[in-house]
Amino acid sequence: MEIMIVQADPAKRKAKPKDESKLGFGRVLTDHMFTMSYHSSRGWYDPVVRPYEELRLDPAAMCLHYGQLIFEGMKAYRGKSGEIYLFRPTENIRRMNESARRLCMPTLDPELFLEGLKKLVLLEQDWIPKSSGASLYIRPTMIATEAALGVHPADAYLFFIIVGPVGAYYPEGFSPTKIYVVEEYVRSAPGGIGYCKAAGNYAASLMASAMAIEKGYTQVLWLDAVHRKFVEEVGTSNIFFVIDGELITPPLGGTILPGVTRDSVLQIARSWGLNVSERPLSMEEILTAFNNGSLQEAFASGTAAIVSPIGQVCYQNREYAINEGRTGSLTERLYEEILRIQYGEKEDPFGWRLRIA
Ligand SMILES: *Cc1c(COP(=O)(O)O)cnc(C)c1O
C-alpha cells in the first residue's frame, strides 16, 4: 500500500518551542499525523501522513463506550551530527499487535506501521530536539470507530500516530523517587489485560496514584492481585531491585507490561556478567533484605525516563530508605549505557538502533 503525504499549510504551522529545557512531557504536538482506517470488509486502507487535526467521531463510536483503545510509547533520538534514530521499534510494533489481539482489534502489518512512522518522523524532523536527553515522543494509537451501542468487537477502527518533542527527564541530574506500596487497589489480575497498553489499565490506576501523591509520594508500587504480596510494577514502569548483588525483576506472566526498557536492562546486565533473575519477589523478602543490609538498589524502567532510581519505599506505614536515598551505581551505569546507545554515542552491540536519517 502506498502511503500518501499531504503537507500542512506552511502559514498554519505551529511555532516550535524555543527553550528545549522547558519542554516537559506530552504538551506539545507537531503539525502532522499518520492515520489509516480499517473495516472488517476491506482490511486496512488509506494510509496517509496529513495535517494534525481534531478527529471526527460519532458519539456512539465504540471506543468511547467499551474501551477498545490501545496505544504505544516510543521515541526518536537525534545524534550529535544530526542523525536520527529509533530504538527497537519492532518491539513496540509487536507489542501493539499483542494488545490488539487481546482486545479483539485488528493487527497491523509491521512493515506498513514502520513505514508510516518513519515518513511521519522524517517529515517532522525539525521538531526533534537537539539537546542531550530530549527527544521526539511517538504515540501510536488504535481506536474502535464503529457507531453502535451493544458490547461486541467493533468492525471499524482508526490507527493514528502523533508525535511531540519532550524534554530531558533529568535536566538537573537524578532525583530518587519515594514510592508507596498500595494494598487496597490492584492494576491488573491474572487473565486480565495487564500486559497490554490498553487505555482502561491507566484509568484503573488513577485512584491509587492520586492517593500516593496526596500522601507525598511520587508513584505507586503495585502488588500482585491474588496474594497482595509480590511486587509487580511501579506506576507505569517496570521495577528492579538489587539484593546481595542479584538484579531481580518480576517475571512476565500476563499481569505486567513487557517493557522494552525492561528487556534492554536485562540483556545489558546479562552481557555484563551480572547475576540476573526474573522471578517473583515478595515484600517480605525485600524487608528481610532491608533489615540485614543486603538491599542495595531499586529502580523503575520505562521509555520516558530510561531508569528512575527509587530512594524510599513506604509499606504498611513504615518508611524504608534504599541506598540511603541515593541513586545506586548500577542504576546510573545502566542509564548511561542505554542513553548512549539510543543517541548513537557508542557501539550498538545488540543491533537496537534503527538509523532513519
Ligand atoms: C509502557 C509501560 C511500561 C514500560 O514499557 P517501555 O516499553 O519500557 O516503555 C511499564 N509498565 C507499564 C504499565 C507501561 O504502560
Side-chain angles (χ1 to χ4, degrees):
M1 239 182 307
E2 217 25 61
I3 299 174
M4 274 204 358
I5 298 188
V6 182
Q7 297 253 5
D9 178 351
K12 289 193 185 139
R13 296 197 188 181
K14 301 166 190 163
K16 299 201 174 53
K18 289 202 179 63
D19 187 350
E20 289 187 358
S21 71
K22 295 203 168 67
L23 279 172
F25 185 87
R27 287 171 301 157
V28 183
L29 294 153
T30 67
D31 294 310
H32 296 87
M33 61 184 184
F34 174 79
T35 63
M36 178 161 67
S37 303
Y38 176 92
H39 192 275
S40 54
S41 63
R42 59 189 287 202
W44 290 104
Y45 61 95
D46 286 356
V48 56
V49 174
R50 60 181 171 107
Y52 185 103
E53 62 177 358
E54 289 160 8
L55 300 176
R56 281 185 67 90
L57 278 181
D58 192 294
M62 290 177 68
C63 63
L64 302 176
H65 301 271
Y66 310 118
Q68 276 182 302
L69 195 170
I70 56 173
F71 63 91
E72 266 305 321
M74 54 209 290
K75 286 174 167 177
Y77 307 88
R78 190 183 290 282
K80 284 208 162 64
S81 353
E83 69 281 20
I84 300 168
Y85 301 106
L86 300 176
F87 182 71
R88 309 188 70 185
T90 52
E91 294 301 313
N92 294 90
I93 295 171
R94 189 202 329 260
R95 189 169 68 190
M96 182 121 189
N97 277 338
E98 271 164 28
S99 298
R101 274 186 215 95
R102 178 64 180 81
L103 274 81
C104 295
M105 299 169 81
T107 55
L108 293 139
D109 170 12
E111 276 171 32
L112 186 59
F113 186 150
L114 187 59
E115 211 37 53
L117 173 61
K118 279 198 224 166
K119 283 203 155 64
L120 176 64
V121 171
L122 290 176
L123 182 62
E124 301 294 55
Q125 58 181 281
D126 291 347
W127 285 91
I128 307 177
K130 294 177 181 65
S131 48
S132 166
S135 56
L136 187 76
Y137 186 75
I138 302 167
R139 170 54 60 88
T141 309
M142 194 199 297
I143 60 174
T145 52
E146 182 194 350
L149 300 182
V151 179
H152 62 90
D155 62 16
Y157 295 85
L158 178 72
F159 172 65
F160 60 85
I161 308 177
I162 52 176
V163 300
V166 297
Y169 209 83
Y170 301 110
E172 280 131 38
F174 280 123
S175 49
T177 57
K178 290 171 66 182
I179 61 174
Y180 181 82
V181 183
V182 62
E183 291 181 284
E184 52 271 66
Y185 302 111
V186 293
R187 72 170 282 281
S188 91
I193 59 169
Y195 67 93
C196 304
K197 273 201 186 291
N201 285 332
Y202 305 86
S205 76
L206 295 175
M207 188 180 252
S209 335
M211 190 181 79
I213 290 167
E214 196 185 303
K215 290 179 193 284
Y217 297 87
T218 331
Q219 272 300 355
V220 166
L221 193 162
W222 301 103
L223 298 179
D224 76 286
V226 176
H227 309 93
R228 309 277 165 114
K229 225 165 92 174
F230 298 99
V231 300
E232 296 226 309
E233 297 207 58
V234 52
T236 56
S237 306
N238 294 113
I239 193 162
F240 286 83
F241 283 85
V242 184
I243 297 178
D244 198 18
E246 179 189 9
L247 178 65
I248 310 164
T249 196
L252 301 178
T255 57
I256 70 176
L257 209 289
V260 177
T261 320
R262 173 189 179 279
D263 183 72
S264 307
V265 165
L266 290 173
Q267 289 197 47
I268 289 171
R270 287 187 175 119
S271 79
W272 286 345
L274 300 179
N275 176 11
V276 177
S277 305
E278 292 173 76
R279 65 169 177 85
L281 176 62
S282 67
M283 280 310 299
E284 195 185 332
E285 182 178 348
I286 293 169
L287 298 195
T288 304
F290 174 84
N291 288 324
N292 70 23
S294 61
L295 176 57
Q296 295 163 304
E297 299 184 32
F299 60 88
S301 76
T303 296
I306 306 180
V307 297
S308 168
I310 296 168
Q312 203 173 317
V313 175
C314 176
Y315 179 58
Q316 297 180 336
N317 296 318
R318 284 199 53 193
E319 302 277 356
Y320 301 89
I322 300 177
N323 194 30
E324 294 161 359
R326 290 175 290 116
T327 302
S329 57
L330 178 61
T331 306
E332 195 145 1
R333 216 177 133 205
L334 285 162
Y335 174 79
E336 283 296 322
E337 184 74 6
I338 296 176
L339 183 96
R340 292 175 63 214
I341 293 177
Q342 288 172 335
Y343 286 81
E345 290 168 15
K346 73 174 293 289
E347 291 299 288
D348 177 22
F350 303 96
W352 287 338
R353 264 193 316 252
L354 178 66
R355 184 170 173 175
I356 60 168

